[in-house]
């Protein structure tokens, strides 16, 4: 640049109108921008190539941006909402948050749209490494996720809960564990038992059965887990649907707002109704808290408050959700502490 052009750049930086770039300057700016943005060369390397100072390279690159010679776009797939994802991660102290577009009204009436499972399957492909132990809890969303899996490093897959009903094992979490193990080429450790039993004695007896006990031995080795979240209402929580009317009323009186893997939580993320766990085949909450990565898959307006409650429990490190739930979570008047960041226990 000559002295008048140098003045033009300075004037532009100061917010004053600048002179029009000439053809030689345009060509040079385009070449430098290509080296920097597309070829990954440093400003020092570009300066050496063009025989100028690195400060001049910096000014030319700045001018190229201001003159719209270079446009920088951050693009993610249309179904992902990067802005909401980052805001949700920061607000709740999560390790990962992925927000997908909610289905158009009337397109998908299910509590957890299937596209959540598809995105969660891709996320697992990123998070799971060779030699990990992947734990899968019962839930519609985890079943959708397992069905969508197309890549996983070699890993062991273990079931973290019993099934909603023993008669659905082939279509539920047992099949999800088998599917994940098939994709990864690793071992599968399913649990052939219902999640909820009539009494604690029956549940204890089942836990001691060889196959179930072997699966439980892997719980402390799980490095990545996938769980679902339910709100305390019919059709949105499988545990709610398994109980009698009297039992539902009892737990509702304790302030239950959410359910995850047969653990109940109030709106502040504190566990309530712990006696229910004694009747269930499920991973204990303390064990979940020790798992390095716990990914929850849940979305929809009807689950939004329940998702917030579980996030406050500190048991979840990452979340795959949709814009409907994310908008509620981001505008909550009190997000409360961010225990997921430190894996703190709100009960303490």
């Amino acid at each position: 640049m000559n002295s008048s052009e140098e003045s033009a750049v300075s004037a532009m930086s100061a917010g004053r109108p600048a002179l029009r770039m000439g053809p030689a300057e345009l060509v040079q700016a385009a070449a430098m921008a290509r080296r920097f943005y597309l070829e990954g060369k440093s400003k020092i390397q570009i300066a050496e190539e063009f025989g100028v100072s690195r400060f001049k390279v910096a000014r030319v690159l700045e001018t190229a941006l201001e003159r719209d010679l270079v446009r920088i776009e951050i693009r993610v797939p249309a179904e992902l909402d990067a802005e909401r994802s980052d805001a949700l991660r920061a607000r709740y102290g999560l390790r990962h948050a992925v927000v997908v577009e909610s289905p158009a009204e009337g397109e998908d009436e299910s509590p957890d749209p299937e596209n959540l499972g598809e995105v969660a399957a891709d996320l697992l492909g990123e998070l799971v490494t060779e030699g990990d132990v992947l734990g899968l809890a019962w839930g519609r969303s985890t079943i959708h996720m397992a069905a969508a899996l197309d890549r996983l490093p070699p890993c062991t897959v273990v079931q973290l809960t019993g099934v909603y009903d023993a008669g659905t094992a082939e279509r539920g979490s047992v099949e999800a564990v088998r599917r994940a193990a098939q994709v990864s080429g690793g071992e599968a450790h399913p649990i052939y038992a219902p999640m909820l039993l009539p009494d604690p004695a029956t549940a204890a007896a089942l836990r001691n059965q060889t196959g179930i006990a072997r699966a439980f031995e892997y719980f402390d080795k799980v490095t990545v887990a996938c769980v679902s979240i339910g709100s305390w209402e019919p059709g949105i929580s499988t545990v709610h649907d398994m109980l009698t009317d009297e039992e539902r009323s009892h737990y509702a009186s304790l302030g239950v707002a959410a359910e995850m893997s047969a653990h109940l939580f109030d709106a502040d993320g504190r566990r309530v109704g712990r006696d229910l766990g004694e009747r269930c085949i499920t991973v204990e909450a303390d064990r979940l808290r020790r798992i390095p990565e716990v990914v929850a898959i849940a979305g929809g307006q009807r689950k939004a408050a329940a998702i917030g409650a579980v996030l406050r429990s500190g048991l979840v490190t990452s979340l795959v959700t949709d814009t409907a739930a994310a908008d509620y979570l981001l505008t909550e008047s009190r997000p409360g502490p961010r225990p997921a960041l430190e894996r703190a226990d709100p009960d303490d």
Side-chain angles (χ1 to χ4, degrees):
M1 296 182 186
N2 57 37
S3 59
S4 63
E5 289 169 336
E6 293 277 6
S7 299
V9 173
S10 299
M12 185 181 302
S13 300
R16 298 192 297 273
L19 300 177
R20 185 177 63 184
M21 294 175 72
E25 186 178 2
L26 282 168
V27 170
Q28 184 186 66
M32 288 184 175
R34 177 174 294 278
R35 304 291 194 279
F36 186 72
Y37 292 108
L38 298 183
E39 299 176 11
K41 291 187 176 181
S42 69
K43 293 174 184 176
I44 293 176
Q45 289 174 314
I46 297 170
E48 290 175 351
E49 178 182 348
F50 286 87
V52 298
S53 72
R54 62 185 176 88
F55 301 106
K56 179 174 179 178
V57 172
R59 289 195 297 270
V60 171
L61 292 174
E62 181 183 351
T63 302
L65 282 171
E66 292 174 341
R67 291 296 185 88
D68 210 22
L69 191 62
V70 172
R71 296 182 182 181
I72 298 176
E73 292 183 339
I74 301 173
R75 303 180 66 182
V76 295
E79 70 270 16
L80 298 182
D81 191 310
E83 186 175 350
R84 284 185 176 93
S85 297
D86 188 56
L88 198 61
R89 176 199 56 77
R91 186 173 177 85
Y92 287 89
L94 296 167
R95 190 170 294 126
H96 304 285
V98 181
V99 178
V100 305
E101 287 291 337
S102 299
E105 188 174 351
E107 278 190 11
D108 193 334
E109 301 298 333
S110 64
D112 288 308
E114 289 193 22
N115 63 337
L116 293 186
E118 294 167 1
V119 173
D122 285 340
L123 179 61
L124 274 194
E126 292 183 63
L127 299 181
V128 176
T129 59
E130 185 172 351
D132 275 344
V133 177
L134 172 63
L136 300 181
W138 160 266
R140 299 179 187 92
S141 56
T142 53
I143 292 169
H144 291 157
M145 180 276 300
L149 282 172
D150 58 10
R151 63 185 176 99
L152 270 183
C155 64
T156 299
V157 187
V158 60
Q159 193 169 325
L160 296 179
T161 64
V163 296
Y164 174 59
D165 184 293
T168 67
E170 290 303 312
R171 305 187 304 276
S173 37
V174 169
E175 181 56 31
V177 169
R178 287 175 173 167
R179 166 67 181 166
Q182 180 184 32
V183 172
S184 74
E187 295 181 4
H189 295 276
I191 293 177
Y192 296 96
M195 180 190 293
L196 180 66
L197 283 304
D199 53 70
T202 304
L206 274 178
R207 292 189 202 104
N208 289 326
Q209 286 189 358
T210 303
I212 297 174
R214 187 177 298 117
F216 267 64
E217 289 173 0
Y218 276 90
F219 285 1
D220 286 330
K221 303 174 185 177
V222 173
T223 50
V224 180
C226 272
V227 299
S228 296
I229 295 172
S231 56
W232 200 243
E233 56 179 305
I236 310 296
S237 164
T238 52
V239 172
H240 177 281
D241 292 345
M242 285 189 281
L243 297 173
T244 65
D245 289 341
E246 184 179 354
E247 289 169 330
R248 291 169 191 153
S249 298
H250 165 66
Y251 291 119
S253 71
L254 300 179
V256 60
E259 172 266 318
M260 180 183 72
S261 302
H263 300 295
L264 309 181
F265 305 88
D266 67 12
D268 293 320
R270 292 186 295 260
R271 289 177 60 210
V272 296
R274 299 189 184 208
D275 59 305
L276 181 64
E278 298 175 5
R279 297 169 48 195
C280 292
I281 303 297
T282 186
V283 60
E284 299 94 327
D286 289 342
R287 277 175 158 169
L288 268 178
R289 200 179 301 279
R290 293 195 295 268
I291 296 174
E293 185 74 79
V294 178
V295 181
I297 313 167
Q301 288 183 327
R302 293 176 66 186
K303 282 193 176 184
I307 296 169
V310 172
L311 292 182
R312 283 186 281 274
S313 76
L315 293 174
V316 169
T317 62
S318 298
L319 175 68
V320 178
T321 191
D322 64 358
T323 51
D327 285 343
Y328 172 88
L329 294 168
L330 290 171
T331 55
E332 264 195 306
S333 59
R334 52 160 194 86
R338 304 189 303 162
L341 195 63
E342 302 86 13
R343 308 304 294 279
D345 187 343
D347 293 340
D348 291 343

